[in-house]
Amino acid sequence: MKKTFLAVLALCMFSVGAAAGEKPVVGLVMKSLANEFFKTMEEGARKFADEDGTFTLIPVGMNSETDIDTQVNAMENFITRGVDMIVLAPADSVGLVPSVKKARDAGILVVNFDVTLDKEALVANDLPQDFLFVGPDNEEGSERVGDFMAAKLGRGAKIIIIEGNPGADNAKQRKAGFMKTVEKYGLELLASTTAHWETEEANTVMTNLLTRYPDVQGVMCANDSMALGVVKALEAAGRINDIDVVGFDNIGACQELIRDGKMLATVDQFGPEMAANAIKVGFRILGGETLDGWIKTPVAVVSAQDFIRK
């Protein structure tokens, strides 16, 4: 919370003189800084800004994954200050579209990254359906890590899906990828429910699901923060060795769990470079290029094999 408060305070103190100074100003709007993935994203963006030296970066994060108002307020503050570019990872794919429209109407370039804005909401707000998005194929990533689990468990295995925030398009896309695996391998889906990207909620959800479905063999988590909660629940129930878990994000804490055999795999979407890549694309547009549609960034499955020390 302190980090988020300081980021917002820095934004509010940002002077008109700086906005009109030599360096362009980039506002970075991220999701929850309680999530290790976004902490590393912020670190990567700051490192890029420091090394590049040609622009001023103002990063803002949320207190939790459902703290949508903080993102809306950050957008409003960036619009009021007249920054040159806003790079946005929306926590709600519909709810942030009006703020994007307002920024665009104020002449501010907005680059959508990490989570796609909702296409119907874009059109409803007189924005192009192919609004520029810089980010990974979430459906592909979840399908690939789901297939990795299914290949180990075999056809007909009993699994549970822990979904992300229902308001985020990447949550929908990751579930869609997992469902492709379910269909391909004839898996038995015991339950599919949200934990809103949060560790503690996932812990509670998984604890309850274990009681209801003690024969579960695998759990597909739409992000690594929830995977941490699931692993915690399995450890408490003494089931860590007989239920496989996969996640999405490749955060450091889950890398350790994979090394220790407590998680099967995760998806690397290269978080430290993600915001920096979006900023780079934004400067290409400010430099005169016309870009729209989807600029795809990579995903890769990470398993124990990747950590074998040679």
Side-chain angles (χ1 to χ4, degrees):
M1 182 177 293
K2 182 178 179 182
K3 195 170 189 180
T4 302
F5 172 76
L6 291 176
V8 174
L9 181 62
L11 173 60
C12 294
M13 294 177 63
F14 179 66
S15 69
V16 175
E22 295 180 358
K23 292 184 179 181
V25 178
V26 176
L28 171 60
V29 182
M30 296 169 291
K31 294 165 67 179
S32 173
L33 293 178
N35 183 334
E36 184 181 337
F37 177 75
F38 290 99
K39 290 179 184 177
T40 60
M41 177 186 288
E42 181 184 10
E43 291 166 1
R46 287 184 182 276
K47 180 181 178 182
F48 170 62
D50 290 343
E51 292 175 350
D52 183 86
T54 63
F55 67 96
T56 298
L57 178 70
I58 306 176
V60 179
M62 304 157 60
N63 293 321
S64 71
E65 295 288 357
T66 57
D67 181 25
I68 311 302
D69 288 345
T70 294
Q71 284 201 326
V72 172
N73 291 336
M75 293 289 291
E76 291 292 327
N77 283 325
F78 282 137
I79 293 165
T80 299
R81 298 296 174 179
V83 300
D84 298 277
M85 182 197 312
I86 298 174
V87 182
L88 168 67
D92 188 298
S93 297
V94 174
L96 269 294
V97 172
S99 298
V100 172
K101 170 65 172 173
K102 188 172 182 179
R104 284 278 295 259
D105 289 347
I108 298 171
L109 171 66
V110 179
V111 180
N112 174 209
F113 81 109
D114 183 43
V115 183
T116 52
L117 294 165
D118 183 82
K119 294 187 181 302
E120 290 184 7
L122 287 167
V123 173
N125 283 269
D126 297 319
L127 292 168
Q129 189 177 43
D130 62 346
F131 194 94
L132 177 66
F133 173 67
V134 181
D137 188 330
N138 286 281
E139 186 171 325
E140 176 192 348
S142 60
E143 182 182 5
R144 287 171 62 181
V145 79
D147 287 355
F148 188 86
M149 170 183 281
K152 178 178 182 291
L153 295 178
R155 295 191 62 82
K158 298 178 180 182
I159 64 105
I160 287 170
I161 295 174
I162 306 297
E163 306 170 28
N165 190 338
D169 274 8
N170 64 338
K172 299 172 187 175
Q173 292 155 4
R174 292 177 192 178
K175 181 178 179 180
F178 288 145
M179 289 306 298
K180 284 186 176 180
T181 294
V182 169
E183 293 170 9
K184 274 189 293 184
Y185 286 84
L187 303 179
E188 183 178 345
L189 180 60
L190 301 175
S192 183
T193 187
T194 184
H196 299 95
W197 304 125
E198 299 285 358
T199 300
E200 291 307 316
E201 184 174 350
N203 180 30
T204 300
V205 167
M206 192 65 218
T207 298
N208 293 332
L209 288 172
L210 270 176
T211 300
R212 186 174 180 183
Y213 303 108
D215 54 347
V216 61
Q217 297 168 271
V219 185
M220 300 176 179
C221 302
N223 80 346
D224 278 353
S225 289
M226 296 188 298
L228 293 177
V230 167
V231 168
K232 183 178 177 182
L234 297 182
E235 287 182 315
R239 301 292 304 280
I240 194 64
N241 294 320
D242 57 272
I243 298 175
D244 287 325
V245 179
V246 296
F248 201 116
D249 282 342
N250 194 32
I251 64 174
C254 284
Q255 291 175 14
E256 290 299 321
L257 292 177
I258 292 170
R259 288 190 185 98
D260 294 342
K262 296 180 179 181
M263 258 184 79
L264 182 63
T266 186
V267 176
D268 192 354
Q269 56 176 332
F270 305 95
E273 294 84 29
M274 191 178 289
N277 287 336
I279 294 169
K280 291 175 186 177
V281 169
F283 277 116
R284 287 169 58 189
I285 296 172
L286 291 179
E289 290 190 51
T290 300
L291 299 171
D292 54 28
W294 185 1
I295 297 179
K296 191 179 290 190
T297 57
V299 292
V301 173
V302 176
S303 67
Q305 187 67 31
D306 296 286
F307 300 111
I308 293 175
R309 292 178 174 83
K310 297 179 179 180

